[in-house]
Amino acid sequence: IDQATQAQLHDSVKTVPKTKVGIVLGTSRLLRNGTKNLYFSYRIQAAKKLFDAKKVSYLILSGDNRVDEYNEPKDMHDALLKVGIPDSCMVLDYAGLRTFDSMVRCKEIFGQDSVIVISQEFHNARAVYIANKIGLKAFGFNAKKVTSQQATKMKFREFFSRTKCILDLYVLGTKPRHLGKKIKIG
């Protein structure tokens, strides 16, 4: 996955190609102990940088919202509003339950043929890999890395996520849990 996507991942706003839409992949705003989740904060900062540099005109905020008390897209929306992203430039995707679902929905529901994925590098590699396999042209814009015990747990989790990704794409023929009506952006 890393090798196949390396050329499509960018750390600099200057090098990432311009697309109409960026997709911010969801994560919890807070950790279980109630402290700020740096993965979330850094993704918000990265989305703002891309938007301010006019690399994207719209943002799909894709995440989990299976229960009323947990709403990744709304949390991202609220955080991006606070940093000056207009509401009219954000589209909430409440059915981005997994990275696989977010990427397929980006193409099938939101009608995108190219996109900038906004997350940390390890996550972007997997998302861009999925995009490549489903015929969606994608670039990753790497949010700042998290260095902590939380990062160690995430690396362990990512190993299993990548295994599931390969199974989804090559063995299981997985489909997103929810598709639905097409949504036009812009």
Side-chain angles (χ1 to χ4, degrees), residues 48-78:
K48 169 108 170 103
K49 282 181 190 177
L50 281 179
F51 189 84
D52 288 350
K54 299 188 180 353
K55 291 290 185 161
V56 296
S57 301
Y58 299 93
L59 294 167
I60 298 171
L61 311 177
S62 186
D64 191 347
N65 178 42
R66 281 180 269 194
V67 294
D68 291 338
E69 318 69 61
Y70 186 78
N71 192 331
E72 291 173 352
K74 175 122 176 44
D75 287 345
M76 289 188 283
H77 174 268
D78 294 349

Side-chain angles (χ1 to χ4, degrees), residues 77-89:
H77 174 268
D78 294 349
L80 287 163
L81 270 179
K82 284 182 185 174
V83 298
I85 306 296
D87 182 63
S88 61
C89 297

Side-chain angles (χ1 to χ4, degrees), residues 76-136:
M76 289 188 283
H77 174 268
D78 294 349
L80 287 163
L81 270 179
K82 284 182 185 174
V83 298
I85 306 296
D87 182 63
S88 61
C89 297
M90 294 186 275
V91 178
L92 281 68
D93 176 16
Y94 296 107
L97 304 177
R98 305 182 319 133
T99 304
F100 179 84
D101 292 20
S102 295
M103 299 314 295
V104 172
R105 288 177 55 76
C106 182
K107 181 180 179 189
E108 299 298 327
I109 300 303
F110 297 103
Q112 300 309 299
D113 55 14
S114 66
V115 68
I116 298 174
V117 183
I118 304 160
S119 188
Q120 279 69 26
E121 184 175 10
F122 69 89
H123 196 193
N124 281 342
R126 181 164 41 96
V128 169
Y129 187 83
I130 293 165
N132 289 344
K133 295 302 175 191
I134 64 168
L136 174 62

